[in-house]
PDB file of all heavy atoms in Angstrom:
ATOM      1  N   ARG A  82      35.824 -69.923 -27.786  1.00  0.00           N
ATOM      2  CA  ARG A  82      35.861 -71.374 -27.539  1.00  0.00           C
ATOM      3  C   ARG A  82      37.393 -71.836 -27.297  1.00  0.00           C
ATOM      4  O   ARG A  82      37.521 -72.692 -26.472  1.00  0.00           O
ATOM      5  CB  ARG A  82      35.458 -72.129 -28.920  1.00  0.00           C
ATOM      6  CG  ARG A  82      35.621 -73.658 -28.696  1.00  0.00           C
ATOM      7  CD  ARG A  82      35.086 -74.360 -29.875  1.00  0.00           C
ATOM      8  NE  ARG A  82      35.193 -75.824 -29.691  1.00  0.00           N
ATOM      9  CZ  ARG A  82      34.296 -76.752 -29.879  1.00  0.00           C
ATOM     10  NH1 ARG A  82      33.160 -76.457 -30.464  1.00  0.00           N
ATOM     11  NH2 ARG A  82      34.402 -78.074 -29.551  1.00  0.00           N
ATOM     12  N   ALA A  83      38.327 -71.208 -28.021  1.00  0.00           N
ATOM     13  CA  ALA A  83      39.735 -71.647 -27.835  1.00  0.00           C
ATOM     14  C   ALA A  83      40.188 -71.287 -26.429  1.00  0.00           C
ATOM     15  O   ALA A  83      40.922 -72.087 -25.835  1.00  0.00           O
ATOM     16  CB  ALA A  83      40.574 -70.797 -28.869  1.00  0.00           C
ATOM     17  N   LEU A  84      39.756 -70.024 -25.896  1.00  0.00           N
ATOM     18  CA  LEU A  84      40.151 -69.662 -24.512  1.00  0.00           C
ATOM     19  C   LEU A  84      39.339 -70.593 -23.550  1.00  0.00           C
ATOM     20  O   LEU A  84      39.965 -71.000 -22.593  1.00  0.00           O
ATOM     21  CB  LEU A  84      39.780 -68.259 -24.291  1.00  0.00           C
ATOM     22  CG  LEU A  84      40.533 -67.134 -25.141  1.00  0.00           C
ATOM     23  CD1 LEU A  84      39.859 -65.799 -25.058  1.00  0.00           C
ATOM     24  CD2 LEU A  84      41.900 -67.181 -24.661  1.00  0.00           C
ATOM     25  N   MET A  85      38.188 -70.937 -23.780  1.00  0.00           N
ATOM     26  CA  MET A  85      37.523 -71.855 -22.878  1.00  0.00           C
ATOM     27  C   MET A  85      38.104 -73.225 -22.870  1.00  0.00           C
ATOM     28  O   MET A  85      38.126 -73.922 -21.896  1.00  0.00           O
ATOM     29  CB  MET A  85      36.005 -71.890 -23.236  1.00  0.00           C
ATOM     30  CG  MET A  85      35.143 -72.626 -22.239  1.00  0.00           C
ATOM     31  SD  MET A  85      35.230 -72.156 -20.482  1.00  0.00           S
ATOM     32  CE  MET A  85      34.614 -70.490 -20.604  1.00  0.00           C
ATOM     33  N   GLU A  86      38.596 -73.694 -24.041  1.00  0.00           N
ATOM     34  CA  GLU A  86      39.276 -75.098 -24.050  1.00  0.00           C
ATOM     35  C   GLU A  86      40.394 -75.012 -23.085  1.00  0.00           C
ATOM     36  O   GLU A  86      40.615 -75.990 -22.343  1.00  0.00           O
ATOM     37  CB  GLU A  86      39.705 -75.363 -25.422  1.00  0.00           C
ATOM     38  CG  GLU A  86      38.577 -75.799 -26.355  1.00  0.00           C
ATOM     39  CD  GLU A  86      39.079 -76.168 -27.754  1.00  0.00           C
ATOM     40  OE1 GLU A  86      40.412 -76.223 -28.000  1.00  0.00           O
ATOM     41  OE2 GLU A  86      38.343 -76.549 -28.602  1.00  0.00           O
ATOM     42  N   LYS A  87      41.185 -74.030 -23.166  1.00  0.00           N
ATOM     43  CA  LYS A  87      42.377 -73.880 -22.313  1.00  0.00           C
ATOM     44  C   LYS A  87      41.925 -73.682 -20.757  1.00  0.00           C
ATOM     45  O   LYS A  87      42.647 -74.346 -19.897  1.00  0.00           O
ATOM     46  CB  LYS A  87      43.154 -72.685 -22.602  1.00  0.00           C
ATOM     47  CG  LYS A  87      43.770 -72.779 -24.001  1.00  0.00           C
ATOM     48  CD  LYS A  87      44.516 -71.536 -24.445  1.00  0.00           C
ATOM     49  CE  LYS A  87      45.088 -71.593 -25.862  1.00  0.00           C
ATOM     50  NZ  LYS A  87      45.649 -70.259 -26.341  1.00  0.00           N
ATOM     51  N   TRP A  88      40.881 -72.900 -20.597  1.00  0.00           N
ATOM     52  CA  TRP A  88      40.395 -72.726 -19.258  1.00  0.00           C
ATOM     53  C   TRP A  88      40.014 -74.031 -18.621  1.00  0.00           C
ATOM     54  O   TRP A  88      40.262 -74.214 -17.314  1.00  0.00           O
ATOM     55  CB  TRP A  88      39.203 -71.750 -19.165  1.00  0.00           C
ATOM     56  CG  TRP A  88      38.663 -71.350 -17.957  1.00  0.00           C
ATOM     57  CD1 TRP A  88      37.485 -71.586 -17.448  1.00  0.00           C
ATOM     58  CD2 TRP A  88      39.354 -70.452 -16.870  1.00  0.00           C
ATOM     59  NE1 TRP A  88      37.279 -71.097 -16.177  1.00  0.00           N
ATOM     60  CE2 TRP A  88      38.423 -70.319 -15.925  1.00  0.00           C
ATOM     61  CE3 TRP A  88      40.499 -69.747 -16.941  1.00  0.00           C
ATOM     62  CZ2 TRP A  88      38.606 -69.583 -14.792  1.00  0.00           C
ATOM     63  CZ3 TRP A  88      40.742 -69.158 -15.716  1.00  0.00           C
ATOM     64  CH2 TRP A  88      39.877 -68.986 -14.716  1.00  0.00           C
TER      65      TRP A  88
END
Side-chain angles (χ1 to χ4, degrees):
R82 177 174 184 138
L84 292 170
M85 186 52 67
E86 285 183 6
K87 297 175 184 175
W88 181 250

